Amino acid sequence: MMSVCIIGAGTAGLCCARHSIANGFETTVFELSDRIGGTWVYNEATGVVNGIDVHSSMYKNLRTNLPKEVMGFPDFEIGENKASYVRSDEICDFLNQYADHFDLKKHIKFNSYVIRVLQRKTKWQVLFKDLATNKIEFQYFDKVLVANGHYHTPNYSKIPNMESFKGQFLHSHDFRSREVFEGKSVLVIGAGPSGMDLSNIISRSADRVTISHHLTDIGQHIFFENVQQKPDVRELDEKGAFFVDGSYQEFDTVFFCTGYKYAFPFLTVDSGIYVEDNYVQELYKQCINIRNPSMALVGLPFYVCAAQMMDIQARFIMSYYSRSNELPSTEDMLKDTRDRMGKLWAEGLRKRHGHMLGPKQVDYFTDLSQTAGVKNIKPVMTKLHNESSKCFNENLLHFREDNFAILDDETFVKLN
């Protein structure tokens, strides 16, 4: 029987396990924590605990910024709930229901820290530490699916003269509750979804919030009255920031909402995987390791219906591992990837946005479906994702009051 190792028991790992087991493979999931849910599990701790970085980026009272209607799996939807935008603990409950429905938990090794994945002839040796006993063990597998998420290793933007600032630096990864900003003046760096959302959240405690970014299409109406926008920071000094427009403000805290780095600390240099400017290479269809196709990485693309995407990726990968399909040659896989990405680079896409899909996710799903002959994701998912993203950008203060219903594979309605 073919043996499959899955690293991580979050949304991606659980989905991979479900499809690996369905294909009759002997499946083992290694999970760092004592429960399933990955990035959705709230952990009060930050920084390093027992020599291991805290994985979770979840903060108190988080509600999703996508409607639950697009957050379920194709074969297991999120249950009845009047609200479309649900709490993080409700997503954890849903993932537990999914794991119970497909009887996945007996395949999971909890409190298992994967140290190294090494290629040994035709097998993968997985070296891991049992955090309960501190024992280091290893097992051999035919296939490895990496599903460790990409919201765990903070990315800090470099600001000239940072070292002179005497206030506090904080990354959104280590943010847990707004009370830490009580009465403070805060400089938020970055206007992605988390930067915009968190600016409003912390403004309920902070005295003053300034969000610094270089976007041109963000209206002031989407922020509370004590949130102001500024262009990029030119440099910091002891007490505050000089902006590129020549202005200066003092701050107590610089709050980085600058995203995350893809990181696979357990992979060796000869694994065939490397990351350059936050673009993971070299992958066939953004998931199969071209140099060592018995390894795949699930869940890398972002601005997507994540669970839907992970499901079609898992089915795509399993169609090759089950030998229903035969992979192209190394040369053909490299050509496919380089041709596709070459067009995007020529259009001006930056390497660090190589895994960003957004509205293009429908093309990605169709490509996977047609290439491997697996069932496509319903078009309504991308349509509702696009609508939700539009509402987020236009009505940041109130978009979570919207409720949706899916009518059929093509159509959704807004209920209010």
Side-chain angles (χ1 to χ4, degrees):
M1 187 188 289
M2 188 178 288
S3 58
V4 175
C5 159
I6 298 167
I7 301 173
T11 310
L14 293 172
C15 173
C16 290
R18 176 257 182 280
H19 289 292
S20 176
I21 294 160
N23 276 277
F25 300 149
E26 187 182 326
T27 304
T28 304
V29 183
F30 292 94
E31 169 52 40
L32 176 61
S33 73
D34 61 354
R35 66 197 67 189
I36 67 169
T39 198
W40 293 102
V41 175
Y42 177 75
N43 184 347
E44 190 77 47
T46 60
V48 178
V49 176
N50 297 327
I52 298 170
D53 292 332
V54 171
H55 185 91
S56 178
S57 298
M58 196 55 48
Y59 53 85
K60 267 184 192 169
N61 305 317
L62 179 139
R63 283 176 69 196
T64 61
N65 61 9
L66 286 174
K68 72 178 189 303
E69 288 76 16
V70 303
M71 293 185 69
F73 296 100
D75 57 356
F76 197 85
E77 297 174 356
I78 297 179
E80 286 300 310
N81 187 318
K82 284 180 183 173
S84 280
Y85 294 89
V86 298
R87 300 187 315 272
S88 57
D89 61 288
E90 294 176 274
I91 299 296
C92 278
D93 289 345
F94 161 69
L95 292 173
N96 273 281
Q97 291 161 20
Y98 179 79
D100 291 339
H101 181 79
F102 291 108
D103 199 17
L104 305 180
K105 288 179 182 173
K106 67 185 181 187
H107 298 273
I108 304 173
K109 284 183 179 286
F110 291 103
N111 298 303
S112 296
Y113 177 54
V114 175
I115 299 168
R116 193 72 70 236
V117 177
L118 296 162
Q119 200 162 29
R120 296 280 190 240
K121 295 182 180 173
T122 60
K123 299 265 188 181
W124 292 99
Q125 183 194 63
V126 177
L127 189 71
F128 64 98
K129 183 179 186 179
D130 183 326
L131 297 177
T133 64
N134 270 336
K135 252 178 75 179
I136 292 177
E137 305 171 47
F138 62 85
Q139 284 180 236
Y140 289 94
F141 297 92
D142 297 305
K143 311 288 185 191
V144 171
L145 295 174
V146 177
N148 67 325
H150 51 86
Y151 296 113
H152 50 74
T153 303
N155 178 53
Y156 291 87
S157 59
K158 292 184 174 72
I159 302 173
N161 214 21
M162 274 176 72
E163 66 285 350
S164 68
F165 182 63
K166 300 296 187 193
Q168 180 194 25
F169 289 112
L170 184 71
H171 192 280
S172 57
H173 175 66
D174 294 321
F175 171 73
R176 294 295 181 263
S177 66
R178 70 186 195 199
E179 287 74 23
V180 296
F181 295 118
E182 193 69 50
K184 293 187 175 179
S185 54
V186 184
L187 171 61
V188 176
I189 306 290
S194 65
M196 292 200 288
D197 212 12
L198 285 169
S199 291
N200 278 331
I201 288 169
I202 67 173
S203 74
R204 301 299 80 195
S205 292
D207 181 49
R208 170 171 56 88
V209 176
T210 301
I211 179 169
S212 166
H213 62 85
H214 44 252
L215 304 178
T216 56
D217 55 352
I218 300 179
Q220 186 56 38
H221 67 283
I222 66 172
F223 295 114
F224 285 124
E225 64 284 344
N226 63 333
V227 178
Q228 68 169 144
Q229 299 181 67
K230 279 284 186 183
D232 285 340
V233 176
R234 194 182 77 222
E235 65 174 327
L236 298 178
D237 70 2
E238 286 188 7
K239 294 185 176 180
F242 294 93
F243 298 94
V244 294
D245 64 0
S247 62
Y248 174 82
Q249 287 182 4
E250 291 188 355
F251 297 99
D252 301 303
T253 304
V254 176
F255 187 26
F256 288 95
C257 295
T258 42
Y260 295 85
K261 297 176 189 173
Y262 292 102
F264 314 99
F266 42 81
L267 296 185
T268 58
V269 289
D270 58 356
S271 66
I273 298 296
Y274 64 99
V275 185
E276 185 180 18
D277 193 18
N278 223 29
Y279 172 56
V280 185
Q281 301 172 81
E282 286 186 311
L283 299 172
Y284 178 57
K285 306 296 186 188
Q286 301 214 44
C287 55
I288 292 177
N289 180 346
I290 294 174
R291 303 291 180 187
N292 289 302
S294 56
M295 173 186 284
L297 282 64
V298 178
L300 298 186
F302 60 97
Y303 293 166
V304 291
C305 307
Q308 301 278 326
M309 180 203 69
M310 293 162 181
D311 189 89
I312 195 171
Q313 281 188 325
R315 289 183 284 118
F316 175 83
I317 293 160
M318 291 302 160
S319 78
Y320 296 103
Y321 289 179
S322 66
R323 300 196 175 94
S324 298
N325 290 320
E326 190 176 335
L327 278 168
S329 66
T330 299
E331 293 72 24
D332 286 346
M333 287 192 285
L334 284 170
K335 184 178 186 311
D336 179 273
T337 299
R338 289 171 182 172
D339 286 353
R340 181 174 51 83
M341 297 312 295
K343 287 175 191 165
L344 295 175
W345 308 145
E347 290 169 9
L349 189 77
R350 293 181 177 180
K351 205 161 230 180
R352 61 191 171 89
H353 293 146
H355 298 296
M356 181 172 71
L357 291 181
K360 292 182 179 175
Q361 64 184 302
V362 66
D363 302 324
Y364 178 63
F365 299 155
T366 301
D367 186 24
L368 295 186
S369 171
Q370 291 178 349
T371 301
V374 296
K375 189 177 180 183
N376 203 347
I377 301 300
K378 296 172 184 174
V380 69
M381 294 296 162
T382 299
K383 290 177 182 177
L384 180 47
H385 185 277
N386 293 344
E387 174 66 18
S388 170
S389 299
K390 180 168 155 282
C391 294
F392 178 96
N393 289 319
E394 292 176 356
N395 194 16
L396 184 60
L397 292 173
H398 301 289
F399 79 98
R400 288 188 177 90
E401 296 163 16
D402 295 340
N403 290 304
F404 300 95
I406 289 176
L407 299 184
D408 55 42
D409 290 1
E410 296 280 348
T411 321
F412 70 88
V413 289
K414 198 170 178 178
L415 299 176
N416 58 341

